[in-house]
């Protein structure tokens, strides 16, 4: 799809960025199917997003924001039901020229006390950690790359929550409470301990 948009084909750097983008979609619960944006100097930024969920049902939502990316992210939050804070948002051009491929990286953290709170106890340190989840997206359109990056991060968060729920169910069913899992230590997330020290647990930028 990206190759069709870009005249003259893709450069090596473009291909590397796309491969990295696709690698983050292994646990893809939500998939982007449509995106329409309206913005301008005098207008209110508005975004309409269409997505297919884990139940294979397509849903859409429209939202306004302080800018087009903010509007997009609000619409995605409405569809997926998440409540997160954006910790980091960065964008860089992979190649040169007007048709350069843009790669966006987003780091999110579930809001404390929200429906997707991600606090857990570190298996080795024994301290409570707050997890952050990163996502990347690449496209010749910077709004599309920003959207894909955010969805990638949300998919990682929701996948982690599902594995946590499965682990808790297994532990309840285990008579001696000996069910073990490495899901806390092998996630694509950052952790911040309660004493403010930061550590990276299975973190993949």
């Amino acid at each position: 799809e990206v190759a069709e948009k870009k005249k003259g084909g893709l450069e090596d750097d473009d291909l590397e960025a796309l491969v990295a983008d696709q690698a983050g979609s292994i646990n893809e619960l939500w998939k982007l199917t449509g995106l329409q944006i309206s913005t301008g100097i005098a207008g209110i930024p508005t975004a309409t997003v269409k997505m297919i969920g884990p139940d294979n049902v397509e849903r859409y939502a429209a939202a306004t924001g302080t800018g087009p990316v903010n509007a997009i992210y609000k619409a995605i939050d409405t569809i997926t039901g998440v409540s997160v804070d954006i910790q980091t948002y960065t964008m860089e051009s992979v190649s040169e020229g007007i048709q350069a491929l843009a790669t966006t990286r987003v780091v999110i953290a579930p809001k404390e006390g929200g429906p997707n709170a991600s606090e857990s106890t570190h298996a080795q340190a024994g301290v409570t950690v707050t997890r952050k989840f990163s996502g990347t997206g690449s496209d010749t359109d910077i709004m599309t790359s920003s959207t894909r990056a955010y969805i990638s991060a949300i998919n990682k968060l929701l996948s982690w929550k599902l594995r946590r729920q499965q682990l808790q169910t297994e532990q309840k069913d285990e008579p001696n409470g000996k069910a073990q899992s490495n899901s806390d230590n092998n996630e694509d997330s950052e952790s911040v301990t309660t004493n403010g020290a930061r550590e990276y647990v299975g973190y993949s930028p």
Side-chain angles (χ1 to χ4, degrees):
E1 181 182 347
V2 175
E4 293 176 355
K5 293 180 182 179
K6 187 171 182 179
K7 296 179 181 179
L10 298 174
E11 299 177 5
D12 290 343
D13 290 342
D14 295 334
L15 292 173
E16 289 179 5
L18 290 174
V19 169
D21 186 13
Q22 291 301 313
S25 63
I26 296 176
N27 297 319
E28 194 173 43
L29 298 176
W30 288 93
K31 183 178 180 180
L32 179 69
T33 57
L35 175 64
Q36 185 172 352
I37 306 160
S38 175
T39 188
I41 297 176
I44 298 175
T46 305
T48 301
V49 179
K50 289 184 180 181
M51 301 174 67
I52 293 180
D55 54 3
N56 291 321
V57 175
E58 187 175 58
R59 297 173 174 83
Y60 72 92
T64 59
T66 56
V69 174
N70 181 250
I72 292 170
Y73 288 3
K74 283 184 176 180
I76 293 174
D77 290 349
T78 299
I79 296 174
T80 60
V82 302
S83 180
V84 300
D85 290 319
I86 298 176
Q87 303 293 310
T88 304
Y89 174 91
T90 58
M91 180 182 295
E92 62 179 4
S93 174
V94 177
S95 51
E96 299 179 353
I98 192 66
Q99 294 182 342
L101 190 70
T103 294
T104 305
R105 181 174 181 272
V106 176
V107 178
I108 62 173
K111 292 184 177 179
E112 185 176 353
N116 305 109
S118 62
E119 290 187 351
S120 63
T121 301
H122 193 281
Q124 297 177 344
V127 295
T128 301
V129 296
T130 300
R131 295 183 175 276
K132 298 179 182 180
F133 302 84
S134 67
T136 59
S138 299
D139 199 273
T140 53
D141 185 297
I142 60 176
M143 293 298 102
T144 302
S145 70
S146 298
T147 304
R148 288 176 172 166
Y150 192 59
I151 294 174
S152 174
I154 287 177
N155 278 331
K156 290 175 183 176
L157 163 61
L158 296 178
S159 295
W160 181 83
K161 291 291 290 184
L162 285 175
R163 287 193 289 272
R164 287 282 296 172
Q165 292 173 357
Q166 292 172 357
L167 174 61
Q168 291 172 355
T169 301
E170 291 173 1
Q171 289 177 332
K172 288 180 180 179
D173 294 339
E174 187 72 21
N176 297 323
K178 294 182 179 180
Q180 298 293 330
S181 172
N182 293 324
S183 61
D184 279 348
N185 298 323
N186 296 319
E187 295 301 327
D188 184 9
S189 61
E190 309 181 19
S191 300
V192 179
T193 62
T194 51
N195 61 8
R198 176 166 294 173
E199 58 185 342
Y200 294 85
V201 183
Y203 181 70
S204 175

